[in-house]
């Protein structure tokens, strides 16, 4: 894998990887119903924050010296909750005791904790995954991840085997305390995976448009609006998909009070966000940025993804390498090498005729920040290097294993 990664990195050096911006609309603020459907103890309700009406600081700051991906000198907080660790064998689930949290229904375990029941929906395990690479994959309890595990029910027919995952507080690292005057938080673990960047079809947008993307709708609980041509090609057909409305990561991971405490952030989707700080933007892209729509208006979101610029600015390779997927993220399809979506798409451009450049638009696939760093010597003897990134193009279904690293802003 290491040699393959270096090869990919070398290939990358022969092409410019540039991000575009996304036309934006004001994000519709949505609220979720996180109240318990059945009996829930006061302590359990307080853990979720359902009794709180405050919109102030609802996160819990961890003591100085707490260890994490950035060592003991960084600042860490607990905020929200999400399914993470696979359930221990001795736990008994009581399905008469449940509560709804956004897209998920949680059931009470015999240990007093809440659990989510979910299938193992990772991508083609044998063709592309761990089995193909000869890597035995097990959850943290030693059991196998098996997306091919099905069972037969007399009433329902063939059903996918499910596993239970413990709902646990989310630990975040404070990347900076001054992101538009707020604290920018990144999870310490990879919480989920398997959401494609964009399945939404729009004839007026590029497939890599972030503002109209599936991933943005999933993060914030927004509707998706498709725009296609009619059968005869003379009319536009607009359809709305409410799959994620009130059922996004925002509504699932946070109580109503916690959602209110998360700032609506102006997400910068400019061309500059595609480049690491100090990296020069090719002149052809500066020249063509207006003609080809390489810039667009910002989006207004509570939950968003980091850009190429931000992930290089606020993190290091070592810190990213320490961010491991949870058992739940593995069940959702997270791959061992932790390929992660960023909001920055790639625009590939190629010279076809001498002195004439044509820009070819391509869909974003994935940006993989692993434990490698590219480095080469320039003609003048200077050394150029950067965080290793693997920008891959291809069919979106192939990359459904991509990890999702949501970020958000709260008051300091």
């Amino acid at each position: 894998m290491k040699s393959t990664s270096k090869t990919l990195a070398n290939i990358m050096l022969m092409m410019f990887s540039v991000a575009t911006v996304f036309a934006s609309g004001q994000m519709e603020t949505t609220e979720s119903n996180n109240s318990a459907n059945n009996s829930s103890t006061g302590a359990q309700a307080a853990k979720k924050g359902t009794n709180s009406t405050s919109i102030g600081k609802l996160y819990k700051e961890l003591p100085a010296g707490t260890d994490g991906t950035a060592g003991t000198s960084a600042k860490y907080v607990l905020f929200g909750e999400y399914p993470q660790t696979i359930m221990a064998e001795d736990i008994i689930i009581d399905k008469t005791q449940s509560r709804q949290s956004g897209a998920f229904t949680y059931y009470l375990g015999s240990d007093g904790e809440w659990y989510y029941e979910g299938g193992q929906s990772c991508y083609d395990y044998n063709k592309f995954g761990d089995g193909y690479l000869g890597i035995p994959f097990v959850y943290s309890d030693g059991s196998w991840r098996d997306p091919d595990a099905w069972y037969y029910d007399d009433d329902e027919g063939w059903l996918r085997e499910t596993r239970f995952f413990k709902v646990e507080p989310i630990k975040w690292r404070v990347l900076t305390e001054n992101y538009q005057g707020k604290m920018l938080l990144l999870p310490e673990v990879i919480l989920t995976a398997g959401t494609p960047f964009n399945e939404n079809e729009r004839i007026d947008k590029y497939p890599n448009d972030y503002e109209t993307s599936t991933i943005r709708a999933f993060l914030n609980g927004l509707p998706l609006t498709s725009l296609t041509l009619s059968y005869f090609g003379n009319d536009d057909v607009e359809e709305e998909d409410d799959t994620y409305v009130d059922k996004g990561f925002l509504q699932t991971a946070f109580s109503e009070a916690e959602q209110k405490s998360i700032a609506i952030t102006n997400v910068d989707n400019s061309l500059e966000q595609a480049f690491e700080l100090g990296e020069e933007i090719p002149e052809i892209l500066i020249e063509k940025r207006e003609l080809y729509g390489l810039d667009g208006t910002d989006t207004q979101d509570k939950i968003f993804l980091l850009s190429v610029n931000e992930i290089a600015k606020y993190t290091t390779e070592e810190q990213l390498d320490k961010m491991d997927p949870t058992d739940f993220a593995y069940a959702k399809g997270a791959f061992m090498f932790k390929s992660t979506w960023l909001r920055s798409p790639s625009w590939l451009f190629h010279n076809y005729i001498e002195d004439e450049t044509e820009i070819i638009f391509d869909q974003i696939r994935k940006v993989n920040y692993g434990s490698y760093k590219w480095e080469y010597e320039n003609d003048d003897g200077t050394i150029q290097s950067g965080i290793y990134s693997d920008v891959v193009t291809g069919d979106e279904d192939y990359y459904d294993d991509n990890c999702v690293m949501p970020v958000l802003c709260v008051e300091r």
Side-chain angles (χ1 to χ4, degrees):
M1 178 64 192
K2 189 168 184 178
S3 60
T4 302
S5 300
K6 288 183 176 179
T7 302
L8 288 171
N10 289 333
I11 293 173
M12 271 198 59
L13 296 177
M14 295 186 290
M15 68 180 184
F16 292 99
S17 171
V18 187
T20 184
V21 224
F22 326 99
S24 155
Q26 179 74 23
M27 187 197 83
E28 178 183 348
T29 303
T30 55
E31 304 294 342
S32 68
N33 179 11
N34 290 305
S35 60
N37 292 334
N38 297 290
S39 63
S40 173
T41 66
Q44 290 159 347
K47 178 191 283 189
K48 184 61 182 173
T50 53
N51 295 329
S52 175
T53 57
S54 170
I55 59 172
K57 300 177 181 179
L58 298 186
Y59 58 85
K60 177 184 177 181
E61 187 172 336
L62 295 176
T66 296
D67 198 10
T69 56
T72 57
S73 60
K75 184 175 180 179
Y76 303 95
V77 303
L78 296 179
F79 187 45
E81 63 179 13
Y82 210 67
Q84 296 183 48
T85 306
I86 201 161
M87 185 181 73
E89 287 186 2
D90 60 345
I91 302 299
I92 299 174
I93 296 295
D94 181 1
K95 285 196 171 182
T96 67
Q97 304 291 321
S98 65
R99 65 179 173 88
Q100 194 69 27
S101 186
F104 294 163
T105 299
Y106 296 149
Y107 300 104
L108 192 62
S110 56
D111 58 350
E113 302 290 342
W114 293 99
Y115 290 86
Y116 171 73
E117 182 179 20
Q120 302 172 100
S121 56
C122 42
Y123 68 152
D124 193 324
Y125 174 84
N126 291 315
K127 185 176 181 181
F128 303 120
D130 313 315
Y132 173 77
L133 295 175
I135 303 171
F137 182 85
V138 294
Y139 292 113
S140 60
D141 67 348
S143 62
W144 283 86
R145 175 177 78 171
D146 186 2
D148 296 324
W150 295 76
Y151 67 94
Y152 188 79
D153 182 272
D154 291 336
D155 296 323
E156 301 292 335
W158 285 100
L159 299 175
R160 185 185 293 276
E161 183 180 290
T162 59
R163 302 295 297 268
F164 284 94
F165 300 89
K166 185 178 179 180
V167 180
E168 299 170 278
I170 304 173
K171 180 182 176 183
W172 306 76
R173 173 161 63 96
V174 179
L175 295 182
T176 174
E177 297 202 48
N178 189 24
Y179 190 93
Q180 301 177 24
K182 305 290 193 301
M183 290 200 314
L184 179 64
L185 307 184
L186 174 72
E188 279 286 275
V189 293
I190 294 170
L191 294 167
T192 191
T195 301
F197 186 87
N198 198 2
E199 292 180 313
N200 192 29
E201 184 177 0
R202 293 194 64 97
I203 58 175
D204 61 334
K205 302 288 184 181
Y206 296 113
N208 58 12
D209 182 67
Y210 180 69
E211 187 260 337
T212 58
S213 67
T214 302
I215 195 72
R216 181 172 175 253
F218 161 75
L219 291 172
N220 293 281
L222 300 175
L224 280 167
T225 304
S226 63
L227 188 66
T228 57
L229 287 175
S230 69
Y231 180 78
F232 298 102
N234 53 1
D235 293 304
D236 293 341
V237 178
E238 191 168 11
E239 296 181 354
E240 188 166 289
D241 181 351
D242 63 355
T243 298
Y244 297 109
V245 174
D246 295 335
K247 297 178 181 179
F249 177 83
L250 173 66
Q251 294 80 21
T252 304
F254 303 100
S255 69
E256 291 184 13
E258 288 169 340
Q259 291 174 52
K260 292 176 182 177
S261 73
I262 300 173
I264 296 177
T265 300
N266 182 64
V267 181
D268 180 4
N269 293 317
S270 65
L271 178 61
E272 284 73 16
Q273 283 299 314
F275 296 87
E276 297 179 30
L277 188 64
E279 187 179 359
E280 185 177 354
I281 303 176
E283 289 185 13
I284 183 63
L285 296 175
I286 298 295
E287 178 186 340
K288 301 290 186 180
R289 66 191 302 171
E290 183 175 351
L291 175 64
Y292 288 104
L294 301 183
D295 284 299
T297 55
D298 298 340
T299 56
Q300 309 293 315
D301 300 328
K302 288 202 168 189
I303 312 291
F304 55 102
L305 299 178
L306 291 174
S307 66
V308 171
N309 179 283
E310 291 164 347
I311 202 167
K313 180 178 180 180
Y314 297 120
T315 66
T316 67
E317 293 176 82
E318 183 180 6
Q319 291 163 0
L320 291 170
D321 196 47
K322 290 180 180 179
M323 287 182 61
D324 292 323
T326 62
D327 287 331
F328 179 71
Y330 277 129
K332 296 294 289 182
F335 194 45
M336 185 166 288
F337 300 113
K338 300 180 288 191
S339 302
T340 305
W341 288 126
L342 300 182
R343 72 176 189 263
S344 305
S346 64
W347 302 102
L348 309 182
F349 65 97
H350 309 271
N351 289 314
Y352 286 93
I353 305 173
E354 189 175 354
D355 298 327
E356 183 177 345
T357 300
E358 180 181 355
I359 296 181
I360 304 297
F361 299 107
D362 221 328
Q363 299 181 30
I364 184 172
R365 288 301 126 228
K366 61 180 176 181
V367 180
N368 179 345
Y369 285 86
S371 57
Y372 305 105
K373 191 166 185 173
W374 58 263
E375 182 175 287
Y376 70 95
E377 185 174 348
N378 296 314
D379 293 338
D380 60 2
T382 59
I383 301 297
Q384 186 170 348
S385 64
I387 294 177
Y388 168 67
S389 61
D390 171 19
V391 182
V392 183
T393 60
D395 181 80
E396 63 194 16
D397 294 334
Y398 185 91
Y399 298 107
D400 278 0
D401 61 311
N402 278 3
C403 300
V404 180
M405 293 194 308
V407 293
L408 56 88
C409 290
V410 291
E411 294 288 346
R412 290 178 286 180

